[in-house]
């Protein structure tokens, strides 16, 4: 495979991180023409290509060294890192900056009728989640023996469907939990979007470009403080 000399940046194609990732790239002077259906977008004024993918794929693309930089939520990044470490796959990356968007928390929530005194109330219970590695690490730290049940979607209906006793899901306002008769109880992980880089060395040109871009990102972040 030919190694492009253009810096490759992975961003979420469409979702909660997309518009702010693009806005940040534009704010630091990278001109982009994004056409909705296309996987790749080229910058017109910098040697930069964007790869627009599902956010779930971004940690693996970085850890396999397929892209140079990526914008990703720490929740997804840490989960994939734990999963890949457990299956002995490459799981290295560098965090360049913690960003000011994508804020959310991974929390345990229970049906309103569930009597929850502390996380120990989950002993022997099943907890539905999209983040089994983060949840199991939390249980291990707290000495809880509960089972994480993996669901990639509709986590919040699992208790009503009789699939689990509780859930562990991403929350920002809590409105979705309330709408599903659930009450937030414990925080498992607090997350923001981060800019990450693959761990292998980049060509001097690419690294020099990143070194020029980072102070601009800092400037944008400071201006918004
Ligand atoms: P994709 O189709 O790319 O897989 P998705 O449905 O997995 O999309 P989104 O819902 O767009 O992902 O969320 C992407 C990321 O946004 C989350 O992993 C998290 O880091 C962040 N985020 C911020 N607030 C929330 C929230 N309230 N609920 C879910 N994710 C949030
Ligand atoms: Zn996703």
């Amino acid at each position: 495979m030919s190694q492009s000399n253009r810096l490759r940046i992975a961003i979420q194609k469409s979702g909660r991180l997309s518009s702010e990732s693009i806005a940040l790239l534009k704010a630091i002077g990278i001109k982009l023409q994004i056409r909705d259906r296309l996987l790749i977008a080229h910058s017109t004024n910098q040697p930069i290509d964007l790869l627009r993918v599902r956010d779930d794929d971004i940690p693996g693309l970085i850890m396999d060294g397929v892209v140079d930089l990526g914008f990703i939520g720490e929740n997804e990044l840490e989960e994939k890192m734990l999963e890949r470490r457990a299956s002995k796959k490459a799981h290295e990356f560098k965090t360049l900056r913690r960003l000011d968007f994508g804020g959310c928390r991974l929390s345990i929530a229970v049906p309103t009728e569930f009597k929850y005194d502390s996380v120990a109330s989950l002993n022997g219970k099943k907890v539905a989640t999209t983040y089994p590695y983060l949840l199991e690490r939390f249980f291990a730290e707290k000495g809880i023996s509960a089972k994480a049940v993996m669901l990639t979607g509709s986590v919040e209906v699992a208790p009503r469907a009789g699939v689990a006793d509780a859930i562990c899901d991403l929350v920002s306002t809590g409105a979705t939990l309330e709408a599903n008769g659930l009450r937030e109880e414990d925080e498992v992980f607090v997350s923001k979007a981060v800019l990450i880089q693959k761990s292998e060395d980049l060509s001097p040109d690419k690294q020099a470009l990143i070194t020029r871009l980072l102070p601009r990102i800092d400037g944008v972040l400071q201006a918004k403080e």
Side-chain angles (χ1 to χ4, degrees), residues 69 94-98 194-197 207 210 214:
L69 301 182
K94 298 177 196 168
T95 301
L96 299 181
R97 291 296 183 271
R98 197 166 195 237
V194 283
L195 175 63
I196 57 172
Q197 179 175 338
Q207 195 56 58
I210 293 171
L214 286 178

Side-chain angles (χ1 to χ4, degrees), residues 192-205:
K192 278 192 169 184
V194 283
L195 175 63
I196 57 172
Q197 179 175 338
K198 70 173 177 181
S199 71
E200 304 97 285
D201 286 341
L202 302 180
S203 70
D205 285 354

Side-chain angles (χ1 to χ4, degrees), residues 171-188:
V171 186
S172 49
T173 64
T176 310
L177 292 182
E178 210 171 302
N180 284 284
L182 299 165
R183 185 178 69 241
E184 187 175 357
E185 288 287 1
D186 263 307
E187 237 170 51
V188 170

Side-chain angles (χ1 to χ4, degrees), residues 12 14 53-57 72 76 80 130-131 152:
Q12 188 186 25
S14 85
V53 294
R54 288 199 58 188
D55 70 333
D56 313 51
D57 296 335
I72 185 66
E76 195 65 46
K80 285 293 190 306
T130 310
Y131 301 92
T152 57

Side-chain angles (χ1 to χ4, degrees), residues 138-199:
F138 176 81
F139 286 152
E141 283 166 7
K142 304 278 178 192
I144 304 300
S145 84
K147 196 173 165 53
V149 177
M150 172 69 170
L151 281 182
T152 57
S154 307
V155 172
E156 65 287 350
V157 304
R160 241 184 304 142
V163 174
D165 304 290
I167 70 162
C168 172
D169 204 3
L170 293 177
V171 186
S172 49
T173 64
T176 310
L177 292 182
E178 210 171 302
N180 284 284
L182 299 165
R183 185 178 69 241
E184 187 175 357
E185 288 287 1
D186 263 307
E187 237 170 51
V188 170
F189 190 82
V190 178
S191 182
K192 278 192 169 184
V194 283
L195 175 63
I196 57 172
Q197 179 175 338
K198 70 173 177 181
S199 71

Side-chain angles (χ1 to χ4, degrees), residues 88-162:
K88 307 228 176 328
K89 289 189 187 148
H91 56 274
E92 308 293 327
F93 63 91
K94 298 177 196 168
T95 301
L96 299 181
R97 291 296 183 271
R98 197 166 195 237
L99 304 169
D100 62 348
F101 60 88
C104 58
R105 54 195 188 272
L106 183 64
S107 286
I108 290 174
V110 297
T112 37
E113 65 278 8
F114 189 114
K115 200 175 165 313
Y116 190 100
D117 302 315
S118 74
V119 64
S121 305
L122 293 175
N123 267 312
K125 305 287 188 196
K126 292 197 194 84
V127 183
T129 189
T130 310
Y131 301 92
Y133 283 89
L134 289 173
L135 180 58
E136 278 172 358
R137 181 173 71 181
F138 176 81
F139 286 152
E141 283 166 7
K142 304 278 178 192
I144 304 300
S145 84
K147 196 173 165 53
V149 177
M150 172 69 170
L151 281 182
T152 57
S154 307
V155 172
E156 65 287 350
V157 304
R160 241 184 304 142

